[in-house]
Every structure is written in C-alpha cells, then in structure tokens.
Amino acid sequence: MPSKLVEETMRTRRLPHIWCPGCGHGILMRDVCQAISNLGLPQEEVTIVSGIGCSSRAAGYMNYNTLHTTHGRAIAFATGIKMAKPEMHVIVITGDGDATAIGGNHLIHAARRNIDLTVVVFNNSIYGMTGGQYSPTTPTGEKGTTAPYGNIDGDFDIPKLSEAAGATFTGRGDCFHVPQMVKLIEDGIKHHGFSVIEGVSICPTYYGRKNKKGSAVQMMHWQEDNCIDIKKAAKMEPKDLEGKIILGEMHKDASRPEYCDEYDKIIKKAGGDK
Amino acid sequence: MKKGKKLLTEPKWCKGCGYCVEWCPKKVLSIKHEKVVVENPDDCICCGLCEQRCPDYAIWIETEED
C-alpha cells in the first residue's frame, strides 16, 4: 500500500507512471496533490485539466475530476468548466510547449481575462514526449534534436510573460525545493484570479542527454545549486545572477476583478437572473 | 528509527533514479538492481526528504496509528 497522500489523491492502479527515471514531473505532480490536500479541498470540487505532452499525463494519474484535452487547449477547456461551474477549483497542468508554444495564445488571453484558474506549468525546457525538440523555454545556446548546433531563439520567462499579459498571481518553484513549490501552488489555488506557477522540472532523457548535463542526480544537484530565492536574489549583483533560476512569488494583485464575477454582473444587467 | 514511524518502499514502482540515496542525510538507502533498498533502517531519522523527492512515490514514511 502506498503512502496516505498517494492513496488519497492518485489513481494507484495506474501507477507506476510512464515518466522516465529521474523525471521531475513525478515530484511536481505530488506537489500539486500535496497542495490540494493541505487546503482540504473535497475531491469532487477539484478539476484537473491538462493538454498534451509529458506533463499532461498527470491528469490520468490524479484522482479528481480530470480532463486530458488537445494540444495547447487545456486553458480553453478549463475556461469553459470554470464559466459553467464557478465554484469548482480548476487546476491546469501543462508543459512548456503546451502552455507557451501551441497554447501561448490561450495563456495570454486567459491572463488578460483574469479568470480564476490555477495554471501549473511543468517546465522541462524541451519537448520530451516527441523526442527532444527545442521548446520556447529552451535556453539560448542549448541543444535539442531540432537544434543540433544550439538554439538561437530567446527563451520565455513564464511568470514575466504571464504577468505582462495580466495574470494576477505568478511564481516559480522547482522540483528540488518541494515545500516552496507546494506553498506556491496552495497560494495560487487560494488566489481569486488567474494564477500561473512555473515548476522547473528535469528531463534527464532528452534535455540532459542532448546537453551533456550528466545523470538525473547531477541535474538535480545543478538545480539545487543554481536556484535562488527571490528575496536573496534582490540583494545580489546582476552579474552574480546570470544563468541562475529565481524562485518564489513574483507578482500578486488582488485589485483586479475576476472574470466569472464580471460575467455574473453582465447576466444581471441583461436581466438573465430573473 | 523514530518511535511510531516506519520507512516503507514499493520496489515495483521504483525506477532507480537514486535521488533518495543521494539526499538521504543518514546514508540509510542504496540502489541494487535498479531498485531502492533500505540498508540501515535503524539509522533513519524519518526526515522524509526521500519521500518528498521520489518522482515515483516508491518510498515514504508511515506514521503508525494507535
């Protein structure tokens, strides 16, 4: 019998999951389950929506209302669920490619609307499922199967991108610093508005191998050494922060109205509540 | 091992990544034939770092209920 948390929050008959040895996604999925469990949310009041990709397999393993949708469209499906059932806690689990490439438009427009969804982006900086193509978050210069001489594109900063588009809660955690990631997801769920939490993951199979990062343990050590808390980073020189990953809550704005609340007002205005 | 707590494993789920072995502060664990093995259960302080970092949910601390 597995741990109490796993027993209560996952479909254990589906385990072990398909993720590769050392993949950070398993840790991040547990973090999402832990956050939901810490908040004491009833199973039937939580819906997990995912798109396509390694990350999006998570919906199949989590024991809530779940929806595994088409590539990039998780946020669009989640928007529909939230509009129909505003009392539901809708959590989107998506990957870097799913959320910021094919689903990039859905991400920015949901942010613009400030609809009360919690988007957790499992960012492994590569398309793992399809064989290691570079993604919008592959750092410049790094390699993928479609960038054998190094990626010349710039990479997205997911919290900054979301904040600029109008998200009212953004943050970044990673798969090494578990309590911090759990807390960010909890705060994202509690926030009444559009929340985006990036979870920096590890892909030893494609990203690690293509870029000669060593074993999963070595990659995790790199993450341990190169992730810096936002409070500590504020006291550091910009040159010391080069190549580092900054973790923590990046932005919170409780002043903007939430989309479903505004939509209710429109219904009332149009006489639809009579 | 702390009283009332147990370190448990599910070898069928373990993929042998080695995170638990690497970050165990008391060197309780090892990997044999790509599976986690509890070598020194008496040294375990039940800190739970292995459980937090296991991507496969194959190791955990259980609190015995009265």
Side-chain angles (χ1 to χ4, degrees):
Chain A
M1 211 174 95
S3 73
K4 209 168 149 240
L5 177 76
V6 171
E7 185 74 25
E8 285 172 1
T9 60
M10 295 183 202
R11 294 168 181 152
T12 51
R13 68 181 192 284
R14 296 268 179 110
L15 295 173
H17 51 59
I18 61 150
W19 294 316
C20 304
C23 175
H25 287 7
I27 306 173
L28 294 172
M29 181 170 91
R30 188 184 171 280
D31 295 349
V32 177
C33 291
Q34 182 77 67
I36 298 169
S37 171
N38 288 355
L39 292 172
L41 304 179
Q43 216 173 15
E44 62 278 9
E45 288 176 22
V46 176
T47 300
I48 309 288
V49 187
S50 70
I52 294 293
C54 290
S55 62
S56 300
R57 298 291 300 211
Y61 304 119
M62 296 171 72
N63 202 7
Y64 300 95
N65 304 297
T66 58
L67 195 62
H68 192 178
T69 71
T70 50
H71 200 6
R73 315 294 167 220
I75 293 173
F77 282 88
T79 301
I81 295 166
K82 190 71 189 177
M83 294 286 285
K85 279 187 172 290
E87 70 284 1
M88 185 74 82
H89 298 279
V90 184
I91 301 166
V92 175
I93 295 184
T94 174
D96 44 318
D98 198 49
T100 63
I102 190 165
N105 239 337
H106 293 296
L107 178 75
I108 58 174
H109 287 281
R112 180 170 69 88
R113 290 179 178 134
N114 194 33
I115 186 161
D116 186 14
L117 305 176
T118 308
V119 179
V120 185
V121 186
F122 291 7
N123 178 10
N124 56 6
S125 306
I126 207 149
Y127 284 91
M129 187 171 275
T130 48
Q133 294 81 3
Y134 71 93
S135 86
T137 60
T138 305
T140 309
E142 296 282 77
K143 291 173 182 162
T145 45
T146 44
Y149 302 103
N151 168 31
I152 57 168
D153 297 1
D155 52 325
F156 275 141
D157 181 320
I158 296 171
K160 272 190 192 162
L161 169 74
S162 314
E163 181 185 339
T168 48
F169 182 97
T170 66
R172 183 187 291 118
D174 77 316
C175 57
F176 183 81
H177 301 87
V178 171
Q180 182 182 36
M181 186 67 196
V182 174
K183 175 80 174 40
L184 281 168
I185 301 168
E186 275 179 47
D187 292 348
I189 296 171
K190 280 193 284 186
H191 178 73
H192 189 56
F194 192 68
S195 321
V196 180
I197 299 120
E198 176 185 355
V200 181
S201 189
I202 284 176
C203 174
T205 303
Y206 284 109
Y207 188 79
R209 228 166 36 185
K210 283 279 163 209
N211 292 290
K212 300 193 168 43
K213 301 281 183 194
S215 67
V217 168
Q218 281 169 303
M219 290 180 80
M220 192 65 103
H221 269 300
W222 185 90
Q223 202 141 300
E224 181 183 11
D225 299 338
N226 289 278
C227 285
I228 295 175
D229 190 81
I230 191 162
K231 288 186 192 116
K232 192 181 168 196
K235 293 176 197 152
M236 287 169 69
E237 297 291 326
K239 67 172 175 26
D240 298 329
L241 288 171
E242 267 172 43
K244 304 284 183 196
I245 299 170
I246 298 173
L247 304 182
E249 185 185 306
M250 312 264 162
H251 173 69
K252 192 175 178 178
D253 174 11
S255 67
R256 269 188 65 207
E258 194 270 333
Y259 193 69
C260 295
D261 295 347
E262 292 303 292
Y263 191 69
D264 270 352
K265 287 181 201 164
I266 287 292
I267 291 173
K268 285 197 181 85
K269 219 183 229 177
D273 59 334
K274 283 173 193 146
Chain B
M1 183 73 66
K2 270 189 186 165
K3 241 189 179 171
K5 290 196 172 188
K6 266 195 300 194
L7 177 66
L8 299 173
T9 61
E10 175 53 272
K12 273 191 274 180
W13 289 359
C14 177
K15 292 173 188 161
C17 67
Y19 291 155
C20 55
V21 178
E22 187 71 14
W23 278 277
C24 174
K26 295 290 174 185
K27 308 284 165 222
V28 172
L29 308 163
S30 72
I31 299 281
K32 281 195 180 132
H33 307 292
E34 297 185 348
K35 299 286 175 192
V36 63
V37 177
V38 183
E39 293 266 13
N40 313 304
D42 295 339
D43 294 347
C44 177
I45 54 168
C46 298
C47 65
L49 287 178
C50 53
E51 181 178 353
Q52 272 186 8
R53 304 231 166 86
C54 177
D56 298 287
Y57 327 118
I59 187 162
W60 67 97
I61 308 285
E62 196 160 279
T63 309
E64 284 167 20
E65 282 164 29
D66 299 321

